[in-house]
Amino acid sequence: MIRYQFFPRSRGVTEEIQKVIDCFKVVENEIDSSTKNLVSNDVLTVVRPHIERNGYKVEKGKSDEEKIDVPVLFGQDNKIDKSFYADALSSDGRIVIEVEAGQATENHRFLKDIFEACMMFDVEYLVLAVRNIYRKHDDFQRIFTFLETMYISNRLQLPLKGILLIGY
């Protein structure tokens, strides 16, 4: 079952973000973490054609040519000095998608994803897809609680317009 929450909760889901949610809903039976034990790359492979139909570039493998490189720092002559990899990036470069599996909360991978999205040039939204169930705990709810606390406390201001958390 696909679950999702957009943060900050004071803003609704945009049409562009809804299209990403719909991509995950189309394949929910194939990626359902309560019945399937897929790694993040397998989930990305299943959802890839649907995301690509919406104009996203999607990582196809682990070689440099297959990864999605998003600029972070620019040097002389506008050459990219630093970049981070994304699982998917919208054609306009404003929405980045990260798909996580077991490492989402176990190694706090979701925090790294948030940090990197905040550093990426022109990125306005992060879509973070995580397992609903991992080792008998609810990763979606753990990250939901973290994001809820961060946004409600208002002690940390992110440069993003929003974060969409999807549980699969």
Side-chain angles (χ1 to χ4, degrees):
M1 171 173 86
I2 296 297
R3 299 188 285 176
Y4 66 90
Q5 178 63 56
F6 186 79
F7 295 94
R9 287 181 40 202
S10 59
R11 290 189 176 162
V13 171
T14 66
E15 185 179 327
E16 298 159 300
I17 296 295
Q18 184 62 54
K19 287 178 182 177
V20 176
I21 295 166
D22 293 342
C23 291
F24 281 87
K25 284 186 173 183
V26 167
V27 297
E28 69 183 323
N29 291 331
E30 298 171 63
I31 62 173
D32 181 357
S33 62
S34 68
T35 60
K36 309 270 192 280
N37 191 24
L38 301 175
V39 297
S40 60
N41 286 339
D42 293 342
V43 173
L44 189 60
T45 297
V46 171
V47 78
R48 176 186 294 114
H50 306 283
I51 295 172
E52 286 178 335
R53 270 188 228 116
N54 283 290
Y56 284 76
K57 290 189 284 182
V58 182
E59 178 183 279
K60 289 182 170 55
K62 293 301 175 189
S63 71
D64 285 344
E65 304 83 43
E66 297 174 309
K67 291 182 178 183
I68 308 302
D69 212 16
V70 184
V72 173
L73 294 175
F74 298 86
Q76 280 187 328
D77 301 325
N78 206 36
K79 291 183 181 164
I80 297 172
D81 276 348
K82 176 68 181 167
S83 60
F84 290 131
Y85 294 120
D87 288 336
L89 183 68
S90 62
S91 58
D92 62 5
R94 296 180 326 116
I95 303 171
V96 67
I97 300 173
E98 290 294 340
V99 177
E100 298 298 346
Q103 300 296 313
T105 60
E106 294 292 308
N107 287 335
H108 296 29
R109 184 63 173 239
F110 77 97
L111 291 174
K112 180 179 181 282
D113 292 337
I114 293 169
F115 171 78
E116 288 184 355
C118 288
M119 299 300 111
M120 292 174 176
F121 176 71
D122 268 352
V123 168
E124 296 177 357
Y125 297 96
L126 168 64
V127 175
L128 182 59
V130 301
R131 294 173 59 99
N132 281 320
I133 303 299
Y134 181 68
R135 294 187 180 168
K136 298 184 181 179
H137 57 75
D138 189 336
D139 273 9
F140 176 87
Q141 189 59 50
R142 284 181 175 189
I143 298 170
F144 177 100
T145 301
F146 178 91
L147 291 171
E148 179 82 335
T149 303
M150 182 180 72
Y151 277 97
I152 288 175
S153 73
N154 207 27
R155 292 186 47 103
L156 179 63
Q157 298 294 311
L158 300 181
L160 302 172
K161 287 184 178 178
I163 298 174
L164 174 68
L165 177 63
I166 297 177
Y168 63 86

